[in-house]
Amino acid sequence: MFRNTYDSDNTVFSPQGRLHQVEYALEAVKQGSAAVGLRSKTHSILLALKRSTGELASYQQKMFRIDDHVGIAIAGLTSDARVLSNFMRQQAMSSKMIFNRPVPVNRLVSAIADKAQVNTQEYGRRPYGVGFLVIGQDQSGPHLYEFSPSGNSYEYYAMSIGARSQSAKTYLEKHYKSFDDCSLEDLVRHGLHALRETLQQDKELNVNNTSIGIIGPAGASETGVPPSGPFRILEGDKIEVFLQSMVPKEPEAPAAAPAAPAAAAAPAADEDVQMEG
Amino acid sequence: MQHSPSVHGQPQQRQFNPYSDNGGTILAIAGANFSVIAGDTRQSEGYNIQTRYAPKVFRLTDKAVLATNGFAADGNMFVKKVRQRLEWYRHAHAKDMPLRAIARLIQTMLYARRFFPYYVYNILGGIEEDGSGAVYSFDPVGSYEREACRAAGAASSLVQPFLDNQIYFRNQTPAPGTSHPAHLPLAHVLSLVIDSFTSATERHIEVGDGLEMYVVLAKGTTALQVQDLTAIAGVTELTTTDDGERLFVVRRNLKRD
Amino acid sequence: MDHHPTNWGRPRNDTVDPYGTYPIHQRPTNVPKDAFAAGIQHTQQPIVTGTSVLGIKFKDGIMMAADNLASYGSLARFRDIQRLHPVGEHTVLGAGGDMSDFQYIQGILDELMIDEFAAGDGHTLGPAEVHNYLSELMYARRSKMNPLWNSLLVGGFKDGKRFLAYVDLLGTTYSASTLATGYGSHIAQPLLRRAVEGREDTLTEDEARKILEQSMQVLFYRDARSLDQYQIATITAKGVNISESRKLETSWSFAEGIRGYGAQTQ
């Protein structure tokens, strides 16, 4: 599919001042299933929708542990994510070895953003095809960052990336002011509600297709969590209790139909892309 | 090494000695479903006490504890490198490395430095995957074996014969019609460890100041065993999870002279 | 000064200088020679050296002391050398041993602190991080058989916590409420322990200074490579303060009464 004269080499600007390869990389992120991140005064959490290629296949891994105090959720090419998360683990390890200090979360995010930027500028490279939500805690409390292949990174109260993430964003924008004082349970429920917005018609969140990543003290239903509240990924039966806490969605009113174009705008092709997460 | 012409016009060599000996003693004993790993906390060089509190026993995972003895700088660096490898194992497998695998890892890491060794005697204690208590002992270049008990370090020549007699019942004949037990109960093992260190403190100048004794209890340990442990002065529980092995540390004073 | 039983009665081994206080002059050797050895040169002995550094904990932080002398063997070569170096807002590094290696370390740390400041995100390196960094550096260099020939004390105060620790050319580290390097570990450390141990949380700044002054005085009486000019560093919640050079008050009149010092009358 030929789109543009200026899209074959990422080091060349289009006459409009755009780097098409970089923009296509951002599209790769949008092809991946959604991930949502939220933050309260005490916790940072991630929620992600896992895909499987079919009944016989396992679900794609959407979350990675970087260190006790850092974890990520990804949208886009899983293989690129593995390379970048490995780099983050090395950075975290080297900070521990050299200074005996957990790496500050913002520096970790800046480090991968700088790596991504190089790929938007140097000849013969391609941008990463993956975006991250990064949660972490340090002396200044819990954090949530977004990293994107353009080399940008921002800190957020709440954020979502991936397919139909705009719907989740709309939910988060409506409720984010209340997140600060939320309990972990309430925060996860908000997260699930937001993630639910990214689902296709007649699909539901269940114990197989949902991952929850948490940093902060243990919740009421959690067992075996050290008091420091290190990053942990909840999957399978452990998230049943959180799924149960969701408020059932109101049956689609006819008025919802005009809102659908937002969701429909994303290509319906997200079932057949194999490499993404 | 410096090499400069001497008065005779020939090159000569003066060796920088990269090693030191920082004294102290470590000891570990395995029970049927527990393991005790202990060390004193004095760090010395020659006749100088550098500090009265420098840990030689380190928790690696919820069920593995490593004691190091010899050249302290090598020991600390070695523990750091082992922990680094365990962290990468966690990244790859999302679980802690099993004890027997840690033992083999330690052997390869030590042997990798066969020609510039870590000047350290290691003793690894903990719980195996089958729930049994275990002790692995190593020499500085990685030769290792699983044992029921081992002492190493400055006072090992005082403590090991005592353990041979009290744990392995060497030179003891059982009463007619009875046999020696294969494993001793926790309370008995704890008192043997404490006695070993108070005795070593009396007779060896490089041992003393403090005793740090880690106790790992396998899953499903009886309340009675836990009672034996908590009855001891200076015990703190370090367990952070409520569904696995339980880990305790006992800190006590030894004589400071 | 080698008290180890295995060395009793043996001639002093002049190829080893455990306190690093004087250059060892070249002398013939019958150690086997490495055919490739002439190709590489590493620091094998300290040349211009500083003597003891002292450090103690007190109620509000850490106090350290070191004199201003850099010796060239037994020659008192430089009498205005500062051996206490501030590292950022919370830390002081004190050094004995080779002064050129110390200055090299200062350069590395200054650069490190500038990089950290340049990140501009509010995260700073405290004494614990600086000490860990130095122990990695010293251990890495000893492992290359090319040591930085120093005994270092790192003292500091950050986030309400006191920190005092040691690291040397072998990468050996330890921490205690009183520390002393070199000659000080023999002569001053027992005095410091008696004065400080158990009183770390009640000693005032004035009392701490008094203790260090007295220890420096004893060292000046006993250590031939020491000087009566010295500085004191204080690190508290208020930050780092390194005093101007000050002079010890000493009295030598008693020496006349010591047998073996003056002219013998009997």
Side-chain angles (χ1 to χ4, degrees):
Chain A
M1 173 177 75
F2 183 69
R3 292 259 289 248
N4 198 296
T5 323
Y6 295 93
D7 72 353
S8 57
D9 186 339
N10 65 45
T11 63
V12 176
F13 278 107
S14 79
Q16 288 77 39
R18 295 161 58 176
L19 294 169
H20 288 286
Q21 281 299 326
V22 175
E23 292 179 21
Y24 300 161
L26 297 172
E27 288 301 315
V29 178
K30 288 186 197 157
Q31 300 263 341
S33 65
V36 174
L38 301 82
R39 195 190 78 185
S40 73
K41 271 184 195 156
T42 54
H43 291 81
S44 287
I45 64 164
L46 294 170
L47 303 98
L49 186 63
K50 291 184 288 187
R51 261 186 211 147
S52 99
T53 49
E55 294 276 302
L56 300 174
S58 63
Y59 285 81
Q60 274 276 25
Q61 189 183 359
K62 290 284 284 180
M63 285 182 197
F64 296 84
R65 174 176 171 273
I66 302 302
D67 200 343
D68 278 343
H69 70 300
V70 185
I72 61 169
I74 64 154
L77 302 181
T78 307
S79 44
D80 281 16
R82 280 206 306 273
V83 170
L84 277 171
S85 61
N86 200 275
F87 172 78
M88 293 170 84
R89 287 168 173 178
Q90 284 173 22
Q91 295 284 305
M93 181 72 78
S94 104
S95 179
K96 230 189 263 184
M97 289 298 284
I98 298 172
F99 297 114
N100 192 211
R101 162 178 84 168
V103 66
V105 190
N106 65 304
R107 291 199 193 166
L108 204 49
V109 177
S110 306
I112 52 169
D114 290 351
K115 259 175 93 70
Q117 193 282 334
V118 172
N119 290 351
T120 69
Q121 193 173 15
E122 285 189 4
Y123 180 81
R125 291 177 178 268
R126 73 159 171 82
Y128 291 108
V130 69
F132 289 174
L133 290 178
V134 182
I135 57 169
Q137 61 181 355
D138 54 30
Q139 291 130 308
S140 44
H143 296 284
L144 166 67
Y145 294 90
E146 183 206 359
F147 154 80
S148 85
S150 58
N152 284 318
S153 64
Y154 299 102
E155 183 163 13
Y156 289 99
Y157 294 111
M159 189 55 189
S160 66
I161 57 172
R164 281 185 292 282
S165 56
Q166 185 53 50
S167 316
K169 239 173 269 174
T170 309
Y171 176 92
L172 295 172
E173 280 162 6
K174 197 167 152 195
H175 294 95
Y176 80 95
K177 282 188 179 126
S178 66
F179 293 169
D180 234 20
D181 297 310
C182 271
S183 67
L184 176 61
E185 285 71 25
D186 290 343
L187 202 63
V188 172
R189 181 151 36 77
H190 276 302
L192 289 169
H193 286 169
L195 190 64
R196 180 169 65 182
E197 299 295 317
T198 73
L199 289 168
Q200 288 172 279
Q201 286 272 273
D202 52 78
K203 287 266 172 75
E204 274 183 27
L205 295 180
N206 59 48
V207 293
N208 294 319
N209 69 6
T210 311
S211 282
I212 304 178
I214 302 173
I215 285 180
S221 70
E222 286 188 285
T223 57
V225 179
S228 57
F231 179 73
R232 58 231 181 240
I233 300 170
L234 306 188
E235 286 175 327
D237 293 339
K238 284 186 177 171
I239 63 170
E240 181 62 42
V241 56
F242 293 109
L243 292 174
Q244 293 296 332
S245 75
M246 288 169 68
V247 181
K249 223 173 173 180
E250 288 159 35
E252 293 251 343
D270 52 308
E271 291 284 21
D272 54 31
V273 180
Q274 296 294 309
M275 273 187 65
E276 65 194 44
Chain B
M1 285 156 277
Q2 176 178 309
H3 316 279
S4 49
S6 70
V7 284
H8 306 289
Q10 285 172 315
Q12 56 150 359
Q13 187 176 43
R14 180 155 38 243
Q15 269 284 332
F16 159 68
N17 179 190
Y19 293 114
S20 180
D21 179 357
N22 298 106
T25 276
I26 53 172
L27 156 64
I29 301 174
N33 61 349
F34 65 87
S35 187
V36 180
I37 308 94
D40 69 326
T41 66
R42 175 176 291 183
Q43 189 177 106
S44 58
E45 192 173 30
Y47 284 141
N48 287 330
I49 295 173
Q50 294 180 320
T51 178
R52 298 190 191 279
Y53 184 72
K56 285 196 272 290
V57 189
F58 304 93
R59 166 198 195 157
L60 295 179
T61 67
D62 287 347
K63 50 177 178 280
V65 174
L66 180 62
T68 67
N69 195 239
F71 175 34
D74 270 354
N76 291 328
M77 185 55 65
F78 185 69
V79 169
K80 218 166 162 178
K81 299 265 179 194
V82 171
R83 284 186 164 151
Q84 194 176 9
R85 295 287 293 266
L86 294 179
E87 177 76 359
W88 284 107
Y89 184 96
R90 259 192 294 275
H91 283 319
H93 299 100
K95 63 163 192 166
D96 284 333
M97 193 186 280
L99 192 70
R100 47 182 261 121
I102 299 177
R104 179 60 69 85
L105 173 72
I106 287 174
Q107 107 107 144
T108 47
M109 290 176 69
L110 288 170
Y111 194 78
R113 290 275 298 265
R114 174 61 181 79
F115 299 109
F116 186 18
Y118 289 109
Y119 219 121
V120 182
Y121 288 87
N122 285 292
I123 301 178
L124 176 70
I127 305 295
E128 296 279 19
E129 281 176 308
D130 66 3
S132 62
V135 163
Y136 290 89
S137 68
F138 302 79
D139 83 351
V141 289
S143 169
Y144 80 114
E145 68 177 316
R146 186 178 165 179
E147 298 178 289
C149 76
R150 172 59 66 183
S156 61
S157 54
L158 279 63
V159 176
Q160 189 66 50
F162 173 67
L163 296 179
D164 288 345
N165 180 246
Q166 292 294 309
I167 308 270
Y168 292 123
F169 299 102
R170 293 287 153 78
N171 301 106
Q172 285 191 266
T173 317
T178 64
S179 62
H180 294 307
H183 290 291
L184 296 173
L186 180 58
H188 191 152
V189 166
L190 292 172
S191 55
L192 283 179
V193 172
I194 292 170
D195 287 354
S196 297
F197 275 94
T198 41
S199 308
T201 302
E202 287 295 331
R203 283 292 184 171
H204 200 116
I205 55 164
E206 292 173 3
V207 180
D209 289 334
L211 169 62
E212 213 159 45
M213 185 164 67
Y214 282 75
V215 183
V216 200
L217 302 180
K219 275 182 213 176
T221 314
T222 62
L224 207 66
Q225 276 186 306
V226 177
Q227 240 171 41
D228 283 346
L229 185 54
T230 45
I232 289 193
V235 65
T236 336
E237 178 154 12
L238 299 176
T239 317
T240 52
T241 60
D242 34 25
D243 48 2
E245 290 76 10
R246 294 180 72 179
L247 183 64
F248 297 81
V249 63
V250 181
R251 293 201 173 87
R252 303 181 129 228
N253 288 323
L254 292 173
K255 283 170 74 177
R256 290 149 62 94
D257 54 9
Chain C
M1 284 294 288
D2 190 345
H3 299 290
H4 205 272
T6 56
N7 294 327
W8 286 351
R10 294 176 190 276
R12 195 177 74 176
N13 180 2
D14 274 356
T15 58
V16 178
D17 175 20
Y19 312 112
T21 48
Y22 59 91
I24 307 161
H25 297 289
Q26 314 292 342
R27 63 191 73 226
T29 177
N30 46 11
V31 178
K33 294 174 191 77
D34 178 347
F36 300 99
I40 315 159
Q41 288 223 346
H42 290 156
T43 306
Q44 273 335 283
Q45 57 178 5
I47 305 298
V48 176
T49 59
T51 183
S52 323
V53 188
L54 310 182
I56 57 173
K57 284 187 182 170
F58 71 100
K59 184 162 69 79
D60 306 313
I62 299 294
M63 200 177 279
M64 296 162 71
D67 69 25
N68 293 115
L69 180 66
S71 307
Y72 179 74
S74 57
L75 173 70
R77 181 66 182 83
F78 304 102
R79 298 154 59 103
D80 56 353
I81 291 294
Q82 188 176 123
R83 298 196 289 123
L84 298 169
H85 178 68
V87 184
E89 312 270 286
H90 316 284
T91 311
V92 168
L93 172 67
D98 191 281
M99 287 296 103
S100 66
D101 283 350
F102 175 47
Q103 286 170 5
Y104 169 73
I105 291 169
Q106 288 176 37
I108 289 178
L109 289 180
D110 287 350
E111 201 173 315
L112 181 70
M113 298 314 280
I114 288 170
D115 288 348
E116 188 76 7
F117 177 77
D121 55 8
H123 293 281
T124 54
L125 296 172
E129 287 80 23
V130 169
H131 178 260
N132 198 81
Y133 179 86
L134 281 172
S135 59
E136 286 281 321
L137 175 68
M138 301 298 273
Y139 184 82
R141 286 292 294 264
R142 86 99 216 187
S143 298
K144 290 178 190 157
M145 294 297 278
N146 186 200
L148 294 166
W149 215 284
N150 299 102
S151 299
L152 305 169
L153 290 193
V154 178
F157 189 94
K158 191 178 180 229
D159 302 331
K161 283 207 267 303
R162 294 170 295 189
F163 182 92
L164 180 61
Y166 169 98
V167 57
D168 66 14
L169 74 168
L170 291 175
T172 304
T173 55
Y174 47 90
S175 174
S177 56
T178 69
L179 289 176
T181 74
Y183 233 90
S185 69
H186 293 88
I187 291 181
Q189 179 71 305
L191 304 172
L192 295 176
R193 284 184 181 154
R194 191 173 56 188
V196 174
E197 273 184 4
R199 286 193 275 268
E200 295 89 348
D201 299 328
T202 50
L203 280 179
T204 64
E205 193 171 324
D206 287 342
E207 287 168 331
R209 188 175 297 109
K210 195 94 204 150
I211 291 166
L212 285 183
E213 277 168 8
Q214 283 170 348
S215 300
M216 290 303 282
Q217 191 182 45
V218 175
L219 277 171
F220 179 57
Y221 280 133
R222 286 292 172 186
D223 177 1
R225 306 285 176 266
S226 68
L227 194 66
D228 56 353
Q229 312 258 27
Y230 70 106
Q231 283 169 290
I232 284 192
T234 317
I235 314 102
T236 61
K238 281 184 246 151
V240 169
N241 175 57
I242 297 178
S243 75
E244 290 294 303
S245 186
R246 48 218 324 263
K247 202 167 159 68
L248 284 170
E249 283 187 25
T250 47
S251 144
W252 295 91
S253 54
F254 68 89
E256 299 299 332
I258 295 178
R259 205 176 136 78
Y261 177 80
Q264 296 305 304
T265 53
Q266 55 182 80

